[in-house]
Amino acid sequence: MGMNIKNATVERLAKELAAQTGETMTSAIQAALEERLERLRQQRDVAERKRRVREILDSLPPAPPGVTSDHSDLYDEFGLPK
């Protein structure tokens, strides 16, 4: 099991990361990859939750005529209750 990366920038970044963390280059690369994958999973989870919320909202019937979210009659020009 081996990996041979022939990229000077990647090697420089791996060495810099390992030096700053005190880890081996392998450990530093592993941690970086795990963190990146976790961020991607979280982004995907957020996108899925947004999709499900949108699906639920789209399935709701439209608001009855005359229903509004305008509550200006309850607040003054500074946003304080009248």
Side-chain angles (χ1 to χ4, degrees), residues 11 15 19-21 33 38 45 52 58-59 61 63 71 78:
E11 185 176 350
K15 284 180 181 178
Q20 288 189 26
T21 62
L33 292 170
E38 181 58 29
D45 291 347
R52 288 192 317 227
D58 289 345
S59 72
H71 302 292
F78 301 108

Side-chain angles (χ1 to χ4, degrees), residues 5 10 13 15 20-21 23 25 27 30 33-35 37 42 47 60 62 67-68 71 73 76:
I5 299 173
V10 172
L13 291 170
K15 284 180 181 178
Q20 288 189 26
T21 62
E23 300 170 315
M25 283 183 22
S27 296
Q30 179 180 345
L33 292 170
E34 288 171 346
E35 289 170 16
L37 284 169
Q42 288 175 358
L60 296 174
V67 172
T68 177
H71 302 292
D73 58 320
D76 66 15

Side-chain angles (χ1 to χ4, degrees), residues 24-82:
T24 64
M25 283 183 22
T26 300
S27 296
I29 291 169
Q30 179 180 345
L33 292 170
E34 288 171 346
E35 289 170 16
R36 175 89 188 268
L37 284 169
E38 181 58 29
R39 283 194 308 273
L40 289 171
R41 285 184 196 107
Q42 288 175 358
Q43 289 172 357
R44 189 176 49 243
D45 291 347
V46 167
E48 175 60 18
R49 284 195 300 271
K50 285 181 179 180
R51 185 198 64 75
R52 288 192 317 227
V53 167
R54 176 61 49 204
E55 190 177 274
I56 291 167
L57 291 173
D58 289 345
S59 72
L60 296 174
V67 172
T68 177
S69 61
D70 178 25
H71 302 292
S72 60
D73 58 320
L74 301 174
Y75 302 95
D76 66 15
E77 64 273 10
F78 301 108
L80 298 173
K82 288 184 178 178

